[in-house]
Amino acid sequence: MNLTTLAVFIPACFALNMAPGPNNLLSISNASRYGFARACSGGLGRLLAFAIMIALAALGLTAVLHTSELLFMGIKLIGAGYLLYLAVQLWRARPEAAGDSTVASMSRASLARQEFLVAIGNPKAILLFTAFLPQFVDRSGTVTQQFAVLGGLFLALECVAIGLYCYMGLHARRLFARPSGKRLFNRMCAGLLASAASFLLVARRS
């Protein structure tokens, strides 16, 4: 893998990392409710899910998703259902939920599990790794090693994206400091997550 390949891969990859998908929206919401550090820690669940997807792409197992409409539909329905569940929870959340008692009740492990389930329940994300990463792999070299390097870079850039989106959420919390503002922000995030679920429901295998 040469520097020219990396010079193309890194900007393209970071654009994907920064796309406002379900996990990034979740980071904004979690940071606004539970704080920057806790929301960033929750992002570890997303990284674990993406690491699993990258490993599956490297092994070629994601080819099953391309050929199995039933499997794709099953993952899609579960993922969309979970996003809708989170949207309902946010919509019904009380404005006081940003208080210390709620922060204590939502552990880092719970936030990480939430991020993991959102990421792993998106079959389009799995297929993205199958379509995107191989474009930068030199077939004449060691494919597994190159996948490891590209996957590692993707996860590193994803960490940056998590930090940036959590930072946005932190500022959103300050902007919507009043109870009425918190309620509005929660419902805006709920609407965006519900929209993401709708897009996921109509998604098709490429």
Side-chain angles (χ1 to χ4, degrees), residues 55-91:
L56 291 176
L59 294 171
L61 297 180
T62 47
V64 177
L65 269 182
H66 284 286
T67 56
S68 175
E69 184 68 39
L70 184 62
L71 179 60
F72 183 88
M73 181 65 69
I75 295 175
K76 184 171 72 170
L77 290 175
I78 292 170
Y82 187 64
L83 281 176
L84 287 172
Y85 166 77
L86 292 178
V88 170
Q89 294 295 101
L90 263 180
W91 186 272

Side-chain angles (χ1 to χ4, degrees), residues 9-82:
F9 173 77
I10 290 174
C13 183
F14 192 57
L16 290 174
N17 295 125
M18 289 301 295
N23 280 98
N24 284 334
L25 295 174
L26 191 58
S27 286
I28 292 178
S29 174
N30 285 341
S32 70
R33 301 176 72 195
Y34 309 114
F36 179 82
R38 198 173 288 262
C40 282
S41 298
L44 293 174
R46 180 199 317 189
L47 296 177
L48 175 60
F50 286 164
I52 292 172
M53 293 177 188
I54 291 167
L56 291 176
L59 294 171
L61 297 180
T62 47
V64 177
L65 269 182
H66 284 286
T67 56
S68 175
E69 184 68 39
L70 184 62
L71 179 60
F72 183 88
M73 181 65 69
I75 295 175
K76 184 171 72 170
L77 290 175
I78 292 170
Y82 187 64

Side-chain angles (χ1 to χ4, degrees), residues 63-133:
V64 177
L65 269 182
H66 284 286
T67 56
S68 175
E69 184 68 39
L70 184 62
L71 179 60
F72 183 88
M73 181 65 69
I75 295 175
K76 184 171 72 170
L77 290 175
I78 292 170
Y82 187 64
L83 281 176
L84 287 172
Y85 166 77
L86 292 178
V88 170
Q89 294 295 101
L90 263 180
W91 186 272
R92 298 174 60 187
R94 297 168 124 191
E96 308 86 80
D100 293 337
S101 60
T102 306
V103 170
S105 68
M106 195 68 170
S107 66
R108 286 177 169 82
S110 296
L111 292 176
R113 182 170 60 250
Q114 195 181 67
E115 286 259 14
F116 177 86
L117 291 174
V118 169
I120 208 72
N122 186 354
K124 294 296 285 185
I126 303 174
L127 296 182
L128 170 67
F129 290 112
T130 314
F132 179 68
L133 293 183

